[in-house]
């Protein structure tokens, strides 16, 4: 079903603050019991051998597109950047998400995962894979944590983007907010991997410009900006953790867009078992349907975006925000 607003939902004027743990379906003990009851779930915690090949195919597809768009008119370049490149680049960012959980080569080969993420980053145009890994760990560890989970919009975002027009603008500018918010909310020291990620990306961008000119570079950047902004696939940014129904902060989506997004729609399942790669998340629900089928879920990411813009109860403030001792003490 498509989730609808109910009275008593989150106020668009103030953030929701909660002191509970960040788990979405069950606490650690319940998860252990779940895995014990269904030993097959533990068997799903293994690398996805096809992930590296899928990433390779997507990167090569964007390189081919770079060659093809070099002579296109600008209007057609932007059209293909939105319709094709936006889908591919967004898909690559979700591959990077899966790789950040060591889904490609397993935890014993962490370096291979990091470098595959850097490779998947190339068509995105700007370096972000290494930084994403660094901050995404905190998103799982401190879900909704004030000053820790940089997925939660800032107070300024919640205060300003509170009308339909402004919320629409916020959706368009999502790539900038996701890129800049960590620097404001939880700045951390630059790592060696981030420097290497930036250098590799710079070399790739310069090489594409030297080979084919400016238009392919613009195509890649536009693909990322448009594909991560107001785009049907971007509905997952809002669908995952915005409080559409009071008492539920994490939602799954089981529709066809999962086919091109590494099953990121299975988000409750992902937060329960982040070590299970996206390809296996549908099996989690199939093995233990009684844990998931009764939960509210989204049936359309496009409808999610529509409701986010036009429902007064939804906006950047419609998130659960928790205060963790770590953030409070500044440790």
């Amino acid at each position: 079903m498509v989730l609808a607003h109910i009275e008593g939902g989150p106020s668009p004027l103030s953030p929701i603050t909660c002191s509970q743990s960040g788990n979405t379906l069950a606490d650690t003990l319940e998860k252990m019991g779940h895995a014990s009851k269904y030993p097959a779930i533990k068997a799903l915690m293994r690398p996805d051998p096809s992930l590296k090949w899928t990433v390779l195919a997507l990167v090569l597809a964007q390189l081919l597109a770079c060659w093809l768009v070099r002579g296109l008119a600008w209007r057609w370049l932007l059209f293909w950047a939105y319709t094709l490149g936006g889908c591919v680049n967004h898909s690559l960012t979700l591959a990077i998400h899966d790789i950040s959980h060591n889904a490609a080569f397993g935890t014993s080969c962490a370096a291979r995962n990091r470098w595959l993420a850097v490779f998947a980053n190339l068509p995105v145009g700007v370096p972000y894979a290494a930084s994403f890994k660094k901050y995404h760990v905190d998103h799982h560890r401190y879900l909704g944590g004030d000053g820790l989970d940089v997925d939660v919009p800032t107070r300024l975002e919640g205060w300003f983007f509170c009308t339909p027009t402004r919320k629409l603008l916020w959706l368009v500018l999502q790539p900038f907010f996701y890129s800049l918010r960590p620097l404001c909310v939880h700045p951390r020291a630059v790592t060696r991997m981030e420097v290497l990620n930036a250098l590799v990306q710079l070399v790739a961008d310069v090489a594409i410009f030297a080979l084919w000119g400016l238009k392919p570079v613009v195509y890649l950047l536009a693909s990322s900006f448009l594909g991560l902004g107001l785009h049907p696939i971007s509905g997952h940014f809002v669908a995952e953790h915005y409080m559409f129904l009071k008492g539920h902060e994490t939602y799954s989506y089981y529709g066809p867009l999962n086919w091109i997004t590494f099953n990121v729609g299975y988000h409750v399942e992902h937060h329960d078992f982040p070590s299970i790669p996206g390809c296996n998340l549908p099996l989690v629900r199939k093995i233990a349907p009684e844990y998931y089928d009764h939960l509210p879920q989204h049936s359309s990411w496009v409808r999610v975006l529509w409701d986010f813009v036009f429902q007064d109860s939804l906006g950047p403030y419609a998130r659960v925000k928790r205060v963790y001792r770590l953030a409070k003490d500044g440790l």
Side-chain angles (χ1 to χ4, degrees), residues 96-168:
I96 291 171
H97 164 261
D98 241 23
I99 297 167
S100 74
H101 291 284
N102 298 313
F105 299 103
T107 55
S108 61
C109 300
R112 292 185 184 181
N113 287 288
R114 301 294 79 78
W115 282 108
L116 179 62
V118 170
F119 177 72
N121 194 156
L122 295 180
V124 177
V126 293
Y128 99 102
S131 299
F132 176 82
K133 163 68 176 177
K134 180 172 68 175
Y135 285 104
H136 190 62
V137 171
D138 286 341
H139 171 65
H140 279 270
R141 186 177 297 161
Y142 308 110
L143 181 63
D146 189 15
L148 293 170
D149 183 359
V150 298
D151 187 61
V152 178
T154 62
R155 290 180 179 273
L156 179 61
E157 292 172 70
W159 169 77
F160 185 78
F161 297 100
C162 58
T163 67
T165 301
R166 293 179 185 180
K167 287 190 284 185
L168 185 65

Side-chain angles (χ1 to χ4, degrees), residues 240-262:
E240 290 165 0
H241 296 297
Y242 283 79
M243 206 169 179
F244 282 73
L245 291 177
K246 190 173 182 179
H248 297 274
E249 69 171 296
T250 302
Y251 304 83
S252 285
Y253 156 81
Y254 302 121
L257 288 179
N258 279 301
W259 300 341
I260 59 172
T261 57
F262 296 91

Side-chain angles (χ1 to χ4, degrees), residues 35 43 45 261 293:
M45 300 176 186
T261 57
D293 285 354

Side-chain angles (χ1 to χ4, degrees), residues 58-311:
L58 291 173
V59 172
L60 292 178
Q62 281 296 69
L63 287 178
L64 175 61
C66 285
W67 181 76
L68 292 172
V69 304
R70 70 196 190 285
L72 281 183
W74 286 106
R75 64 181 181 276
W76 285 110
L77 183 148
L78 293 176
F79 170 80
W80 288 112
Y82 184 84
T83 57
L84 175 64
C87 294
V88 176
N89 275 15
H90 201 135
S91 183
L92 281 168
T93 66
L94 294 172
I96 291 171
H97 164 261
D98 241 23
I99 297 167
S100 74
H101 291 284
N102 298 313
F105 299 103
T107 55
S108 61
C109 300
R112 292 185 184 181
N113 287 288
R114 301 294 79 78
W115 282 108
L116 179 62
V118 170
F119 177 72
N121 194 156
L122 295 180
V124 177
V126 293
Y128 99 102
S131 299
F132 176 82
K133 163 68 176 177
K134 180 172 68 175
Y135 285 104
H136 190 62
V137 171
D138 286 341
H139 171 65
H140 279 270
R141 186 177 297 161
Y142 308 110
L143 181 63
D146 189 15
L148 293 170
D149 183 359
V150 298
D151 187 61
V152 178
T154 62
R155 290 180 179 273
L156 179 61
E157 292 172 70
W159 169 77
F160 185 78
F161 297 100
C162 58
T163 67
T165 301
R166 293 179 185 180
K167 287 190 284 185
L168 185 65
L169 178 62
W170 185 82
L171 291 174
V172 171
L173 298 177
Q174 273 191 109
F176 292 111
F177 289 116
Y178 272 92
S179 299
L180 299 176
R181 192 184 299 136
L183 303 179
C184 301
V185 174
H186 189 33
R188 300 173 65 176
V190 176
T191 66
R192 177 177 176 270
M193 197 66 213
E194 286 176 292
V195 174
L196 294 173
N197 188 178
L199 290 175
V200 171
Q201 188 65 55
L202 178 61
V203 170
D205 292 345
V206 170
I208 291 172
F209 175 77
L211 286 171
W212 300 316
L214 179 62
K215 285 187 176 180
V217 177
V218 173
Y219 165 78
L220 292 179
L221 294 174
S223 295
S224 297
F225 176 73
L226 297 174
L228 295 169
L230 189 61
H231 194 280
I233 298 178
S234 292
H236 81 86
F237 288 132
V238 177
E240 290 165 0
H241 296 297
Y242 283 79
M243 206 169 179
F244 282 73
L245 291 177
K246 190 173 182 179
H248 297 274
E249 69 171 296
T250 302
Y251 304 83
S252 285
Y253 156 81
Y254 302 121
L257 288 179
N258 279 301
W259 300 341
I260 59 172
T261 57
F262 296 91
N263 288 323
V264 74
Y266 289 76
H267 215 67
V268 176
E269 293 86 341
H270 171 63
H271 273 264
D272 277 351
F273 303 102
S275 60
I276 294 180
C279 66
N280 288 335
L281 289 176
L283 295 176
V284 173
R285 183 188 180 209
K286 185 176 180 180
I287 292 169
E290 66 271 29
Y291 280 85
Y292 301 105
D293 285 354
H294 69 284
L295 297 176
Q297 58 191 246
H298 296 289
S299 63
S300 169
W301 281 340
V302 174
R303 179 59 186 271
V304 163
L305 295 175
W306 178 273
D307 288 347
F308 179 83
V309 171
F310 292 107
Q311 288 191 13

